[in-house]
Amino acid sequence: MLIAVFQAIGKVRKLIIWKQGKADSHLVKRVRLGHLPDDATLEQYNMIITFVVNSPDANVYLYVYGETIYPTLVANVENPAMVSNDWLRWGFRNCFSSR
């Protein structure tokens, strides 16, 4: 099981591939929850996810729902120099799913 989790994280580190029709709904949800600013784009959201999955300080949590395991990485995104979008300057802390 843990091997599969680390393989999934490795895939996301290389390239984020959203399931068909899911990218926009995830972005809208993060904006609605206040995790991202109203003008956030999918490209910016993907940059944050990439930062989180590559952060050496990220924590990995495994959430189980029924028979499905959802690996989730959590990291602080506070340094705008590390993520080059101006709108990140306000900084925030959030969870982003690696799936």
Side-chain angles (χ1 to χ4, degrees):
M1 172 183 71
L2 287 180
I3 291 172
V5 169
F6 288 113
Q7 288 173 339
I9 293 168
K11 287 181 183 179
V12 173
R13 283 180 174 162
K14 293 178 186 174
L15 179 65
I16 296 170
I17 301 174
W18 291 95
K19 289 182 181 178
Q20 188 172 355
K22 294 293 184 177
D24 289 337
S25 63
H26 277 269
L27 177 63
V28 168
K29 177 182 176 180
R30 292 295 173 192
V31 170
R32 180 176 42 85
L33 293 173
H35 297 166
L36 295 171
D38 291 342
D39 62 346
T41 65
L42 184 59
E43 180 182 2
Q44 293 165 326
Y45 184 34
N46 285 342
M47 286 178 59
I48 294 168
I49 294 169
T50 299
F51 173 82
V52 170
V53 299
N54 286 289
S55 172
D57 298 324
N59 293 309
V60 179
Y61 297 92
L62 301 179
Y63 295 96
V64 180
Y65 183 78
E67 294 184 18
T68 304
I69 298 169
Y70 296 94
T72 301
L73 282 81
V74 178
N76 292 331
V77 179
E78 295 180 2
N79 185 346
M82 299 176 103
V83 182
S84 62
N85 292 314
D86 290 338
W87 60 266
L88 276 177
R89 294 195 188 282
W90 57 279
F92 66 94
R93 303 165 193 251
N94 285 300
C95 303
F96 294 97
S97 174
S98 64
R99 284 181 74 156

